[in-house]
Amino acid sequence: MNSLIRLLQHEPETAFKLKREIARERAERTLPAFIEQAWGIIEPGTRYIDNWHIHLIGEYMLAVNKGQVKRLIINIPPRHMKSIEATVCYPAWTWTRNPGRRFIKVSYSDSLSRKHNILARDIINSPWYQKNWGNKFKLKDDVNRQNQFKNNHQGFMFSTSVGGALTGEGGDVIIIDDPQNPLMANSEAEREAGINFFKNTLQTRLNDPKKGVIIIIMQRLHENDLTGYILSENLGYEHLCLPAIAPQRTIITFPISGKEVIRNEGDILNEGRFDKDVLDDLRRSMGSVQFAGQFQQTPAPAEGVIFKREWLTKFYSAAPKTIDIQSWDMAFTKSEGSAKVAGFVMGKAGADIYIKDLVNDKMDFTESVAAVRTLSGKWKSARAKVVENKANGPAIVNTLKKEISGMVEFNPKGSKTERAMSVTPYFEAGNIHFPDPKTHPWVEDLIRDLLIFPKGTYKDTVDALVQGILYLTDKPRSKLGESHELDRISYWRG
């Protein structure tokens, strides 16, 4: 340091060149240093706020360039520099060492994707970039558009939208940045279109499927968004999830340096930009459901949407004597994207209902029939076998009614959400009891299904549970299983 000070005093021109060389080397070595130095080009007049998550993502991008990570999902809240780091600066930074790299960038809208591409080109054309790396490559005049530009090493950056046209040339790196518009978060058609575009188009555009890279960086909008699909299908993606507020103590390890960041419960991801007051205001204005997806990376709030977490804590080790039933929600087929089959055993004692057993899986007709037989043999006390009069339900009742007594069909009234809301008083009053999750692991999954309902992909467990509760609380005149005539107008039979 002293030698540098003396150099600055006696040889200012040499010292200036040395400082510039040090800065160039830093920017070339790490993406965060590159971003900091390029900040004035893409965000003039805005103060750069450094934060550890920028360095974490930067190290993941370095791991990508080293070939250590080839499939990566980053879930991060909006306005945390995800696009600037991953879609704008990362490709331009990569070209400082590897100008032959070919990038395909995809966002939910063409205008947004073009904007990212234009910003990357602005960096490359800037005097700062040209002074440092202008000798590495030149942009080609004949291919220099907003949505695509090339260099003289055959590297290119191409931008498009989900469902948009793709160049005939393949890419080395595909960057998917927010594949769905947050305003369309509840559109199943939009989600399916994005997933189908990913499955059937984008994945085929890698030049080398073994070495090519796919990076997805997005906020969560629904359990079955692109992140949800990839994680549920176990497609081998490394998953970096960065909620705005840490829900629990978490240790985050950097992929190359091994550096650790400990986030304690309640820690804020980037307090320099989004402190507690700002996040609280956003939660109030957005609503807890939207805030949970976009800022917490959980498609439903931790406290639940319709069913609240505090209502789901009634666990028992031994149930009293109860009047038991089965409750079934059947599916049409056993195929990708189809619903699951759910079958409960539950019983009523006084005002309380005890959930005893659950079968939940994808099944075809034959497997569904076998599941009813198995559960009936296991729980002989369950007299009524209540089956929703939809999908394979009527056919299963017709197949088994002469073999198994108490096969009852029900026609649901109202929407799934309306039916679920009608039983919430029983949960809130503490009348619904679950077995201990330590001995019945399926309870944890059931509680999760209840918390995310109605935003979850599979609603079968909630449907079957609600159906059983409504049947038990509708008080049939005679013993359960012998008749389903009701003392009053049934919610189900209307």
Side-chain angles (χ1 to χ4, degrees):
M1 179 62 71
N2 290 333
S3 60
L4 179 59
I5 293 172
R6 287 194 297 271
L7 191 61
L8 285 169
Q9 292 172 341
H10 301 292
E11 299 182 55
E13 186 175 345
T14 303
F16 176 77
K17 290 181 179 178
L18 179 60
K19 284 180 64 179
R20 196 179 77 179
E21 180 61 24
I22 292 172
R24 184 201 64 78
E25 194 277 332
R26 285 184 61 246
E28 190 173 309
R29 188 174 69 250
T30 73
L31 179 56
F34 181 93
I35 295 169
E36 185 174 4
Q37 293 179 42
W39 188 254
I41 302 165
I42 52 179
E43 291 287 344
T46 304
R47 183 170 66 94
Y48 176 74
I49 300 175
D50 198 13
N51 195 60
W52 65 265
H53 80 278
I54 299 172
H55 294 262
L56 173 66
I57 294 173
E59 201 162 295
Y60 268 97
M61 295 305 184
L62 179 58
V64 166
N65 283 359
K66 287 177 174 288
Q68 297 172 3
V69 175
K70 297 183 180 67
R71 299 290 184 272
L72 175 64
I73 294 175
I74 302 174
N75 295 140
I76 187 171
R79 309 303 298 169
H80 280 66
M81 283 181 53
K82 66 175 180 58
S83 296
I84 286 178
E85 182 159 19
T87 315
V88 175
C89 288
Y90 163 64
W93 172 68
T94 298
W95 274 8
T96 65
R97 289 182 179 268
N98 185 1
R101 202 79 154 155
R102 300 177 178 185
F103 292 90
I104 295 174
K105 309 175 188 180
V106 182
S107 294
Y108 66 81
S109 78
D110 184 61
S111 60
L112 179 62
S113 189
R114 282 174 183 261
K115 176 187 173 183
H116 296 157
N117 221 36
I118 292 167
L119 286 172
R121 189 178 61 177
D122 287 347
I123 292 174
I124 292 167
N125 284 330
S126 70
W128 166 75
Y129 194 99
Q130 288 301 310
K131 282 180 182 178
N132 287 302
W133 302 285
N135 62 329
K136 296 286 186 76
F137 64 89
K138 300 292 181 184
L139 294 184
K140 299 180 72 172
D141 292 333
D142 57 341
V143 185
N144 194 355
R145 301 184 296 273
Q146 290 182 345
N147 72 320
Q148 184 179 19
F149 55 89
K150 290 184 177 183
N151 64 39
N152 58 351
H153 289 257
Q154 300 307 313
F156 68 74
M157 297 188 197
F158 177 83
S159 69
T160 189
S161 61
V162 170
L166 276 170
T167 177
E169 298 178 87
D172 303 313
V173 181
I174 295 174
I175 302 172
I176 304 169
D177 184 349
D178 273 343
Q180 186 177 358
N181 188 336
L183 298 177
M184 303 293 288
N186 293 318
S187 170
E188 184 175 353
E190 289 284 328
R191 291 194 304 274
E192 285 298 317
I195 291 170
N196 287 333
F197 184 66
F198 168 79
K199 289 196 301 184
N200 302 325
T201 303
L202 283 179
Q203 292 186 118
T204 68
R205 291 294 176 169
L206 288 173
N207 283 329
D208 187 337
K210 292 183 178 180
K211 295 182 179 180
V213 174
I214 300 178
I215 299 168
I216 300 168
I217 186 161
M218 61 182 288
Q219 53 188 299
R220 295 299 307 275
L221 298 175
H222 191 277
E223 190 197 22
N224 199 30
D225 57 18
L226 182 58
T227 291
Y229 164 76
I230 289 172
L231 296 180
S232 67
E233 296 294 324
N234 296 316
L235 298 183
Y237 278 67
E238 190 148 349
H239 185 207
L240 175 61
C241 185
L242 298 171
I245 305 169
Q248 59 197 13
R249 187 177 187 272
T250 309
I251 299 175
I252 299 171
T253 304
F254 283 54
I256 295 177
S257 66
K259 174 185 173 182
E260 290 186 345
V261 171
I262 298 174
R263 296 189 72 190
N264 291 311
E265 183 177 347
D267 280 356
I268 293 171
L269 178 60
N270 190 4
E271 199 158 14
R273 285 179 56 81
F274 290 86
D275 60 18
K276 184 179 184 300
D277 291 338
V278 170
L279 291 172
D280 286 345
D281 288 343
L282 283 168
R283 191 197 304 270
R284 284 191 292 270
S285 62
M286 296 173 67
S288 60
V289 174
Q290 294 301 323
F291 183 87
Q294 294 185 45
F295 279 83
Q296 291 301 97
Q297 313 313 309
T298 53
E303 66 269 25
V305 180
I306 292 176
F307 299 95
K308 305 304 179 184
R309 185 177 292 276
E310 62 192 82
W311 304 343
L312 308 177
T313 58
K314 291 286 185 178
F315 303 126
Y316 65 88
S317 55
K321 186 176 181 180
T322 57
I323 298 174
D324 294 341
I325 66 165
Q326 293 179 31
S327 180
W328 288 91
D329 181 75
M330 299 298 182
F332 276 112
T333 61
K334 177 186 179 181
S335 61
E336 181 181 352
S338 67
K340 293 183 179 181
V341 171
F344 281 92
V345 174
M346 59 183 75
K348 190 170 186 290
D352 293 326
I353 292 175
Y354 294 82
I355 313 304
K356 298 184 175 183
D357 205 351
L358 170 63
V359 174
N360 186 216
D361 206 350
K362 289 190 176 185
M363 304 182 195
D364 59 22
F365 179 85
T366 302
E367 290 169 330
S368 299
V369 169
V372 176
R373 287 183 177 130
T374 300
L375 206 62
S376 298
K378 181 180 177 182
W379 295 91
K380 297 185 184 299
S381 61
R383 297 183 180 180
K385 289 79 180 177
V386 185
V387 182
E388 184 177 350
N389 187 13
K390 288 189 175 181
N392 278 334
I396 288 170
V397 170
N398 187 60
T399 299
L400 292 174
K401 64 184 180 182
K402 293 184 178 180
E403 173 187 341
I404 298 175
S405 62
M407 298 296 299
V408 177
E409 290 184 38
F410 261 104
N411 264 316
K413 174 188 172 185
S415 69
K416 295 176 186 291
T417 301
E418 289 169 341
R419 300 197 299 269
M421 291 181 71
S422 74
V423 303
T424 56
Y426 303 120
F427 286 85
E428 188 172 4
N431 295 131
I432 309 299
H433 304 260
F434 302 94
D436 191 336
K438 294 178 182 177
T439 55
H440 297 73
W442 53 263
V443 172
E444 291 289 356
D445 290 334
L446 173 59
I447 289 174
R448 178 180 176 276
D449 288 349
L450 287 164
L451 290 174
I452 66 176
F453 184 85
K455 291 178 71 68
T457 301
Y458 298 115
K459 302 175 178 67
D460 35 86
T461 52
V462 179
D463 284 353
L465 179 62
V466 168
Q467 174 179 272
I469 292 170
L470 286 169
Y471 185 89
L472 285 169
T473 54
D474 264 345
K475 299 178 182 178
R477 283 195 183 118
S478 55
K479 291 182 179 180
L480 292 170
E482 296 177 358
S483 170
H484 59 272
E485 292 296 320
L486 308 180
D487 289 330
R488 54 185 171 78
I489 295 176
S490 168
Y491 178 88
W492 293 88
R493 293 175 62 80

